[in-house]
Amino acid sequence: MNAGGIRKEQAAEGVQKKEQAFRVFRHERPVTGTSAGVRKRGKGEMPMDTIKVVLADDDAGMRLVVRHMLERVEGFTLGGEAADGDALLELVEKHHPQICFLDVEMPGKSGVECARIIQDMDPTMVLIFATAHDQYMGDAFEVYAFDYLIKPFKVERVMQTLERARDR
């Protein structure tokens, strides 16, 4: 078999492993409380299952916007922020988040490059791209992007994405 055939075979095996991991994650993840995995809480109570999120964007203003949106939806906690791809990968290794918001074009490694590495580290991680560049959408979905938000996006659109991610 030639080298191209071996690479295609290895790629197909990688895709099968990731698809299997996603099926396992969807069906075996314990859910407690409401359908969102978070019980209604009284004053002073913390959610039973908070979802840890990391955020990467080279635009500090955009990180601020997404941070505020995360604060508005129950059940999420921000594990950290990064301004470049290399810092994002360090955050993922340190915090082991369930969700990663990432821009496509960042200093160092691009968001798509980071997504490929993250998927190899943890194929169950939810990847949400938030970018001004629609031409990378195909690349993002090749690495199993959960969603692809085009800047400027509406708050409602981000809220829907977060709620879908929480409810999965």
Side-chain angles (χ1 to χ4, degrees):
M1 185 179 290
N2 65 26
I6 292 172
R7 282 191 208 114
K8 286 180 184 176
E9 189 175 298
Q10 289 171 337
E13 289 175 11
V15 168
Q16 288 174 343
K17 287 179 185 178
K18 288 179 182 178
E19 288 173 348
Q20 181 180 9
F22 278 114
R23 283 193 298 273
V24 168
F25 177 72
R26 258 193 315 272
H27 297 294
E28 294 185 1
R29 186 171 183 213
V31 176
T32 58
T34 66
S35 64
V38 179
R39 68 177 177 169
K40 298 290 182 194
R41 58 183 174 171
K43 288 189 175 185
E45 287 187 55
M46 292 297 292
M48 291 177 66
D49 296 324
T50 58
I51 298 169
K52 192 179 295 182
V53 179
V54 295
L55 166 61
D57 197 311
D58 57 334
D59 180 350
M62 188 53 60
R63 289 195 311 271
L64 177 67
V65 168
V66 174
R67 183 182 331 125
H68 285 298
M69 289 183 197
L70 286 168
E71 291 169 357
R72 292 177 55 186
V73 180
E74 185 176 353
F76 294 93
T77 184
L78 185 61
E81 297 180 20
D84 62 68
D86 296 320
L88 169 62
L89 295 175
E90 289 176 19
L91 282 175
V92 168
E93 285 184 31
K94 180 179 179 183
H95 295 288
H96 305 286
Q98 290 91 2
I99 297 177
C100 180
F101 265 89
L102 61 164
D103 190 6
V104 173
E105 289 191 356
M106 297 185 290
K109 289 183 176 52
S110 75
V112 174
E113 289 173 313
C114 289
R116 287 187 178 108
I117 294 167
I118 290 167
Q119 283 296 301
D120 287 340
M121 294 166 52
D122 180 2
T124 64
M125 189 174 309
V126 173
L127 300 173
I128 301 170
F129 285 85
T131 184
H133 308 282
D134 63 351
Q135 69 265 28
Y136 300 107
M137 190 179 299
D139 295 331
F141 285 108
E142 281 181 16
V143 291
Y144 299 96
F146 183 78
D147 207 344
Y148 195 92
L149 306 170
I150 306 284
K151 299 174 188 173
F153 41 74
K154 294 185 178 187
V155 172
E156 298 82 27
R157 177 77 166 83
V158 177
M159 296 303 188
Q160 288 173 345
T161 297
L162 288 170
E163 290 169 1
R164 281 189 312 117
R166 181 184 62 198
D167 293 344
R168 58 181 247 130

